[in-house]
Amino acid sequence: MNTPSPALPAGARNLSEAVSALASRLPEPLAPLAAIAYNLRWGWTPGGSDLFESLSPHRWELSSHNPVRMLLELSAPTLERAAGDEQLLQRAHEIQRAIDEDLQRPPADAPSTAYFCAEFGVHRSVPVYSGGLGALAGDHLKEASDRALPLVAVGLMYNQGYFRQRLDASGWQHEYWVPTDPPLLPAALEHDEEGRPVTVTVPIDGEPVVAQIWRVQVGRVPLFLLDTERPDNSRMARWICSQLYVGDPETRLAQYALLGIGGVRALRAMGIEPDTVHLNEGHAAFATLERARPAIEGGSSLDDALAQAREGTVFTTHTPVPAGNDAYPGQLVCDVLGGFAQEAGVDAWRIVELGRTQQYDFDEPFGVTQFALRTSRAANGVARRHGEIAREMWHALWADRDVHDVPIGHITNGVHLPSWVGRAMARLFDGHLGPQWVQGAADPRTWEAIDAIPDEELWAARNEQRAVLVDFVRDRSTADRLQRGESRDYVESAARAFDPDVLTIGFARRIATYKRLDLLVKNAERAIRLLDGDRPVQLLIAGKAHPRDDAGKALVQGLFAQRDRVGRVGERVVFLHDYDLAVGARLVRGCDVWVNVPRPPMEASGTSGMKSAVNGGLQLSVLDGWWPEAYDEHRPNGWALSGETDSDHGAQDYRHADDLYRTLEEEVVPTFYSGQDGGPPHAWLAMVKASIRSIAPRFTAARMLDDYVGRMYRPGGE
Ligand SMILES: *Cc1c(COP(=O)(O)O)cnc(C)c1O
């Protein structure tokens, strides 16, 4: 009855069994839905999300847009109704056919690559990500699938995911965790020919830790997630796969050992030997140790074996802040990796030495970034400026070279357009650029026709995306305020909050001190004048503070303290709880201006701005991260605040806040409201066109993948 889709790549037998098992619980005509549900490709196939939502919008929401869970939870009458809906079945067949065709394309000619990362933000329904690094990794996999690259990915299955955020009435952040429940995800455990789960064992912290392997299919790319949540493991070992970026250093190192060493073992157990391993951030750096092990066992020294493994390893660093680079006491590394070192016959302290800037400085801790840099053939930062900062930061590792010759390049991040571009804008691009705006995104010629789009149409698309966001904000902020136990008045103001015709500014990112959320309210009177003027501004804020970052939480609480000052503030400023991929997507689609004011040079890239730009949002950003590469003062495509470094933080904050308000008052607001007699604001739209045309081809993940394949994955690259 349910023949497994022939398009599933070899080795996916277990996923196809999962499809059959789900299909067997559905009325027969709905079998295609089961097949679609088990490949996240539906998430960026036009109509994919609507298909599932149309079965039951309510259950769709409750399942966090996880179709496997929703199909298991729908009532029999709902399923029967869907099974009799010819139009729905027709759409399902079309989507399944589109996905099958995509999966059946021949692979591109490129080195086989295994992409290791501690987090993957592919879709909100698979909660194994926290923020920017994960969103980038998710986009990397989706674009690799679109380009038919021979890439597999390796990560961890966190059984409680990343923390969720709730604020109380005082504005203080509280964290909670939700069980991930892997069997309800679009994931299947890898099994061998005899039907036994494929497992790997890694000695970690004196204990043999067993991990099973979940496969999540991201289009053509399999994402393998290691999971220690098994009855044969101790409580401690099971805790390794509990939470993303768990706080205590011992468990964190255990996660890294599992990801790196266990990840390579898992690939081997499945018969996968990639040409290149791409370490996306240093968390998986121990992968190189495991890849070196066969040579060590064959008699090579650790250094020689690593030199060999190094040839097949490339590394991307994401952290321009020294304190952000993970470091651990040498003894702790020896404790966690002791069993592995013994097994491989190497001295654990030699591993520690390779993770120090000064190898023989016994007081220096082990740094994962130093270890990754030493054991990779090529390394890169994630924006041009970040490359420069990284070369300065790690100059001491190549002390005999000039700083310009430190072997760290840059590949600027890019975003997966089909995942981020909103409906109205996608329709506009389809109509005016033709369907090649997706396939040919990296070619500047694709975007030339932007200039010819009539302003009325562009404005209508922007208004539509803003209106969708405003609806969402009203609904969500009412729910958030009710849950916080706010006063009735304030709750009610949420329902009036936000006007679909008002200039909408977004600030959504991790609440870390260096992101300087506080600049927005540095001068409260001036901020209130902007919010409450005749040409008003409305402001959306979202973001999570690290659970241990009390300063970050206090900052958000400080914002909340302002809410009673003027009646209007409750309607014009909204803090959205629980920033994640889905909230992020709504914000970048609907906001007119995306504000980014990190303290230079601490922003590695800042990819949310790229997502906003491809939706027709304009950037108001400090010249840090990606923005110095994109900002064009000759054909203005946004606004820039200076990106100088200054050790006097107080003075710099004062200048930047002043610049920010001045730009908003004198440039942003008048330009946005420059439309005559209800017509579109032509000056604004000229900037939007300049922004899309200059940014879309260069900051798309298509260009990013071209760069990674050409300059990093092919041997003899950088
Ligand atoms: C894109 C994205 C990020 C990264 O963007 P930044 O500009 O670096 O903050 C973080 N979180 C989510 C949910 C995203 O979608």
Side-chain angles (χ1 to χ4, degrees):
M1 178 179 74
N2 299 301
T3 43
S5 164
L8 287 172
R13 189 173 63 91
N14 308 296
L15 209 49
S16 60
E17 277 172 11
V19 170
S20 305
L22 176 57
S24 71
R25 301 172 68 147
L26 304 174
E28 208 201 309
L30 296 183
L33 293 180
I36 298 168
Y38 271 99
N39 189 328
L40 289 167
R41 185 66 179 82
W42 66 262
W44 74 100
T45 301
S49 177
D50 297 339
L51 176 71
F52 290 117
E53 185 175 13
S54 65
L55 267 74
S56 164
H58 181 58
R59 302 297 322 173
W60 184 233
E61 238 5 87
L62 286 181
S63 70
S64 302
H65 297 187
N66 169 357
V68 171
R69 197 180 131 189
M70 184 186 74
L71 289 171
L72 287 168
E73 288 175 352
L74 284 177
S75 67
T78 305
L79 289 171
E80 286 305 334
R81 199 167 347 104
D85 180 343
E86 282 305 323
Q87 205 231 345
L88 181 137
L89 298 180
Q90 180 62 26
R91 282 191 290 148
H93 279 291
E94 275 163 23
I95 287 170
Q96 191 184 19
R97 181 146 38 80
I99 293 177
D100 282 351
E101 274 171 18
D102 182 47
L103 301 182
Q104 278 158 354
R105 288 178 300 146
D109 173 28
S112 65
T113 303
Y115 182 91
F116 281 65
C117 192
E119 51 170 308
F120 287 92
V122 178
H123 188 261
R124 66 181 283 206
S125 61
V126 184
V128 294
Y129 69 93
S130 74
L133 182 69
L136 178 78
D139 277 12
H140 197 104
L141 303 195
K142 288 185 263 187
E143 192 69 41
S145 172
D146 288 352
R147 330 209 101 214
L149 294 175
L151 186 131
V152 303
V154 181
L156 299 181
M157 175 65 89
Y158 302 97
N159 284 271
Q160 300 174 19
Y162 192 57
F163 76 86
R164 307 283 296 270
Q165 176 196 50
R166 187 177 68 71
L167 303 187
D168 63 25
S170 80
W172 190 257
Q173 169 181 299
H174 298 263
E175 299 89 27
Y176 63 101
W177 280 262
V178 176
T180 303
D181 213 351
L184 293 184
L185 296 182
L189 278 179
E190 286 292 309
H191 286 71
D192 65 15
E193 299 295 323
E194 274 84 54
R196 289 176 307 228
V198 178
T199 59
V200 293
T201 305
V202 184
I204 296 176
D205 215 359
E207 187 182 343
V209 173
V210 182
Q212 57 196 10
I213 306 159
W214 295 93
R215 174 194 275 246
V216 173
Q217 201 64 35
V218 184
R220 306 167 55 104
V221 171
L223 166 59
F224 298 110
L225 299 173
L226 275 65
D227 178 15
T228 58
E229 187 56 53
R230 285 177 53 87
D232 39 0
N233 280 329
S234 70
R235 265 275 161 218
M236 296 278 269
R238 285 155 66 183
W239 186 249
I240 296 172
C241 286
S242 57
Q243 299 172 354
L244 189 49
Y245 304 133
V246 64
D248 82 281
E250 215 146 341
T251 309
R252 195 70 97 76
L253 265 180
Q255 291 183 332
Y256 298 172
L258 179 69
L259 175 62
I261 298 167
V264 172
R265 290 186 181 179
L267 291 179
R268 244 187 236 134
M270 295 182 291
I272 301 172
E273 289 276 357
D275 299 328
T276 303
V277 162
H278 181 178
L279 306 171
N280 192 42
E281 194 52 299
H283 310 122
F286 297 137
T288 322
L289 281 178
E290 174 62 15
R291 292 181 89 211
R293 192 168 54 90
I296 299 168
E297 287 170 359
S300 296
S301 70
L302 174 63
D303 285 27
D304 287 349
L306 280 175
Q308 205 182 322
R310 185 179 177 280
E311 291 309 306
T313 310
V314 300
F315 168 53
T316 303
T317 173
H318 292 260
T319 319
V321 188
N325 287 275
D326 272 332
Y328 300 89
Q331 186 58 54
L332 195 64
V333 176
C334 289
D335 291 345
V336 171
L337 290 187
F340 170 84
Q342 201 174 16
E343 206 181 83
V346 300
D347 176 4
W349 280 103
R350 179 65 196 138
I351 299 172
V352 173
E353 286 167 8
L354 291 169
R356 293 189 185 126
T357 302
Q358 307 299 337
Q359 293 196 46
Y360 307 110
D361 174 355
F362 299 120
D363 294 328
E364 193 184 321
F366 170 91
V368 293
T369 307
Q370 289 95 318
F371 184 84
L373 285 169
R374 276 217 181 81
T375 55
S376 302
R377 175 185 82 217
N380 70 289
V382 291
R384 187 179 66 207
R385 183 171 194 191
H386 177 225
E388 287 161 18
I389 298 296
R391 286 191 288 280
E392 283 165 25
M393 223 168 109
W394 303 112
H395 191 184
L397 266 75
W398 290 272
D400 55 332
R401 300 193 188 185
D402 187 81
V403 67
H404 302 292
D405 297 327
V406 169
I408 303 175
H410 77 271
I411 291 179
T412 303
N413 286 344
V415 296
H416 182 246
L417 297 187
S419 298
W420 297 107
V421 173
R423 261 169 225 234
M425 290 302 286
R427 230 183 296 123
L428 192 73
F429 294 160
D430 283 340
H432 290 274
L433 312 181
Q436 74 271 19
W437 70 271
V438 177
Q439 286 290 320
D443 184 344
R445 285 170 303 183
T446 301
W447 301 92
E448 280 170 4
I450 286 284
D451 287 338
I453 298 178
D455 279 357
E456 286 69 20
E457 285 186 48
L458 177 56
W459 189 234
R462 288 295 315 149
N463 288 338
E464 187 178 328
Q465 294 203 172
R466 188 186 319 103
V468 171
L469 173 64
V470 165
D471 273 349
F472 170 75
V473 169
R474 286 179 173 161
D475 185 53
R476 268 290 286 270
S477 58
T478 305
D480 285 351
R481 289 173 189 193
L482 281 169
Q483 204 188 25
R484 290 202 298 263
E486 299 270 14
S487 75
R488 201 79 199 167
D489 276 357
Y490 189 60
V491 174
E492 281 167 1
S493 75
R496 294 188 304 271
F498 273 54
D499 183 327
D501 297 321
V502 164
L503 168 58
T504 305
I505 297 184
F507 183 100
R509 44 192 30 94
R510 215 152 33 86
I511 308 289
T513 322
Y514 81 89
K515 301 269 193 182
R516 296 193 298 176
L517 169 63
D518 49 329
L519 282 200
L520 299 180
V521 288
K522 232 3 333 94
N523 184 333
E525 303 310 324
R526 219 165 153 185
I528 288 166
R529 270 204 304 280
L530 271 169
L531 296 167
D532 212 17
D534 335 325
R535 295 177 302 179
V537 164
Q538 54 198 6
L539 174 63
L540 269 172
I541 304 171
K544 294 173 172 179
H546 188 276
R548 296 185 182 183
D549 178 12
D550 281 356
K553 293 184 192 179
L555 216 135
V556 174
Q557 199 173 35
L559 271 181
F560 270 65
Q562 306 279 346
R563 83 192 128 171
D564 299 324
R565 297 192 46 158
V566 179
R568 263 311 180 44
V569 174
E571 293 173 31
R572 295 275 191 239
V573 183
V574 165
F575 185 100
L576 290 170
H577 289 194
D578 212 25
Y579 179 48
D580 67 0
L581 284 177
V583 173
R586 289 179 177 277
L587 290 174
V588 295
R589 288 169 186 161
C591 287
D592 299 292
V593 176
W594 198 250
V595 172
N596 193 19
V597 286
R599 182 179 311 291
M602 290 180 162
E603 183 78 303
S605 180
T607 53
S608 58
M610 303 171 191
K611 300 168 192 168
S612 150
V614 296
N615 276 291
L618 292 177
Q619 308 308 300
L620 197 181
S621 173
V622 162
L623 283 168
D624 198 17
W626 72 294
W627 192 229
E629 283 163 74
Y631 174 61
D632 182 354
E633 59 183 319
H634 303 294
R635 192 183 168 196
N637 57 355
W639 296 274
L641 307 179
S642 74
E644 85 289 347
T645 57
D646 186 342
S647 56
D648 185 345
H649 289 178
Q652 188 181 37
D653 287 354
Y654 183 84
R655 275 196 316 277
H656 281 172
D658 190 55
D659 256 2
L660 173 67
Y661 288 120
R662 194 200 48 74
T663 308
L664 286 168
E665 291 158 354
E666 294 176 10
E667 301 185 38
V668 177
V669 171
T671 316
F672 182 86
Y673 289 108
S674 66
Q676 301 292 321
D677 310 321
H682 298 293
W684 182 268
L685 295 169
M687 287 184 74
V688 170
K689 287 175 178 177
S691 162
I692 296 173
R693 198 176 149 178
S694 59
I695 290 169
R698 291 168 58 210
F699 301 94
T700 158
R703 192 273 310 145
M704 173 172 77
L705 266 290
D706 280 347
D707 284 352
Y708 274 108
V709 172
R711 290 162 48 198
M712 300 288 276
Y713 296 169
R714 291 198 195 282
E718 282 184 2

